[in-house]
Amino acid sequence: MTDTAVLIVGAGPTGLTLACTLARAGVDVRIIDKSSRFHRSSRGKGLNQRSRELFDDLGVGERAAAAGTEHITLRKYRDGKHVADSVSFADRVPTPDTPYASGLLIPQWRTEEILREKLAEYGVHVELGCELAGFDQDEDGVTARLADGRSIRAAYLAGCDGGHSPVRKALGLRFDGKTDAEECMVVGDVRADGLDPRYWHQWFDEDAALLLCPFPGTAHWQLQGMPERDADGRPTAPTLESFQRLFDRCARIPGIRLADPTWFSTYRVNVRMADRFRVGRVFLAGDAAHVHSIAGGLGMNTGVQDAFNLGWKLAFVVRGMAAPGLLDTYEEERLPVAAWTLDLTDERLRAVVEGVREAGVGTEAVITDDVTTLGVGYEWSTLSHGGPLAGRRAPDAPCRDAATGTPVRLFEVFAGPHFTLLGFGAGGAEALERTGAAHGEGVRARLIDDHEGHARAAYGLEGDALVLVRPDNHVAMSVPADRAADVVSYLQRLGAPAPSGD
């Protein structure tokens, strides 16, 4: 007997996304964290375009957008003088297949708060002050031991407990890579009353650097800068006084006093990845599985996307809608993505370090289409079966519901813990009818009136067709309408409830 189906260790963005994904699917989940209270630090301060799409799917996209900033202006200085402004992705606009032209600046504490609010709607709350002391697993489940002597029995355990992950260490997994010998940056949250909050201010001089990033709805800014050094040349711990000295040195704006610090930290480049993301009934996600340079802002986003991938698979298996073998595809799909992310962020860090040597260049030097992660897919996966987009992100498109004529976007159709079977054209309608209207709750069928042709263009469809989209909004397969049997076969191999007939 288990106390819960899934126990999540760590209540950061990764763990909370996983918990929301599972709870939405009706899976019994518990999420614990060793902290005694919720933090209020900015930390990972951005959702990229792909994470924003996933937040929409979870029903929290509008809340995040209301708390964040799109297209912020980066104001660059040299020797205390304003030399240039730029806006990342300023030349981009929403398109029929991609609703977000920009990422979103939002402090991590607010991202976590939004996810906790959503999780509470399912009756699940983070259990604070619960430190994992160890665990044992067997063929039937995992027994987690807490530091206070209690134990929790779960069918599965997910370690979302950060770069120092006790779960990863208990599994004895390697965490291969490199860590710089000393800190290269200080970071913290401070007030900077009098500084214009319309801009992300960035001072890059020959021998110093300082960045102050504002957030709507709060008087605090995130400060990033070069650390002070002691007489022996070693970096010193950040203080409000050292922040002020750095500000006076770089900004040279009299009368502005930094105040009310709520968070201090240091950062050193740490690039590592676990050799496995799963051992038996225990999984790793987010920083517990991989850490990398902050360049490009992909740390939190990669964790969110790990969780979205793992969540639907755990839900299907726990609910008996798929065979346990489906869980093998989590590591199969996300480990190569993590390796790619480490390489990308290394390259982007080199680009920004080189770029800011030129006056007027700031953190926009890290920005490429890659950091949106809209292009991340799983073409190699055993879950990808045919068609031009198999394994890739399923595009959005404005359409109509063929049954009612109601305008609908494909992302609205996909939203939820289910596969989506889209039918196009008269042949698609016949195929959906022939395979049965009742697909079970694991698969939702929808006939689409693509009156403007956006969906066909985005999916590369010709003629009447069927498209099967996974619960994480990646394309499983697309086939001509007369090959509906291929869809049935796919679902049967998965172990999900398959339509009757062929």
Side-chain angles (χ1 to χ4, degrees), residues 346-358:
D346 271 358
E347 188 274 328
R348 291 291 84 207
L349 179 62
R350 287 191 293 270
V352 74
V353 169
E354 179 67 27
V356 298
R357 293 174 182 172
E358 178 183 343

Side-chain angles (χ1 to χ4, degrees), residues 264-305:
F264 290 118
S265 188
T266 58
Y267 172 77
R268 69 181 72 195
V269 177
N270 192 17
V271 181
R272 296 182 178 275
M273 188 173 78
D275 56 318
R276 298 175 64 185
F277 289 4
R278 177 194 181 189
V279 177
R281 290 176 171 268
V282 181
F283 299 84
L284 299 177
D287 287 354
H290 44 76
V291 294
H292 43 78
S293 160
I294 62 172
L298 292 183
M300 181 175 69
N301 289 286
T302 304
V304 164
Q305 292 159 34

Side-chain angles (χ1 to χ4, degrees), residues 213-255:
C213 179
F215 302 107
T218 173
H220 280 78
W221 300 61
Q222 186 186 87
L223 182 150
Q224 297 169 283
M226 293 180 61
E228 289 190 326
R229 295 182 179 272
D230 61 20
D232 297 321
R234 293 188 297 265
T236 60
T239 64
L240 180 61
E241 292 73 22
S242 69
F243 280 0
Q244 186 68 53
R245 286 190 292 268
L246 181 61
F247 180 84
D248 293 341
R249 175 184 178 185
C250 292
R252 309 176 194 181
I253 304 175

Side-chain angles (χ1 to χ4, degrees), residues 15 17 51 55 123 173 181 214 221 225 278 328 347 469:
T17 299
S51 291
F55 270 42
L173 298 178
W221 300 61
R278 177 194 181 189
D328 295 336
E347 188 274 328
V469 178

Side-chain angles (χ1 to χ4, degrees), residues 41 54 62 95 109 141 168 203 224 250 279 304 318 464 471 492:
S41 51
L54 301 185
E62 290 186 1
T95 61
W109 67 262
R168 185 189 65 245
W203 293 268
Q224 297 169 283
C250 292
V279 177
V304 164
V318 166
D464 299 345
Q492 288 176 335

Side-chain angles (χ1 to χ4, degrees), residues 169-191:
K169 293 175 181 178
L171 291 171
L173 298 178
R174 301 197 314 270
F175 204 41
D176 297 330
K178 60 182 180 180
T179 301
D180 284 3
E182 65 177 36
E183 295 86 356
C184 65
M185 186 172 69
V186 290
V187 60
D189 292 337
V190 294
R191 291 182 65 116

Side-chain angles (χ1 to χ4, degrees), residues 90-103:
D91 59 338
R92 307 297 175 86
V93 296
T95 61
D97 64 331
T98 306
Y100 294 114
S102 170

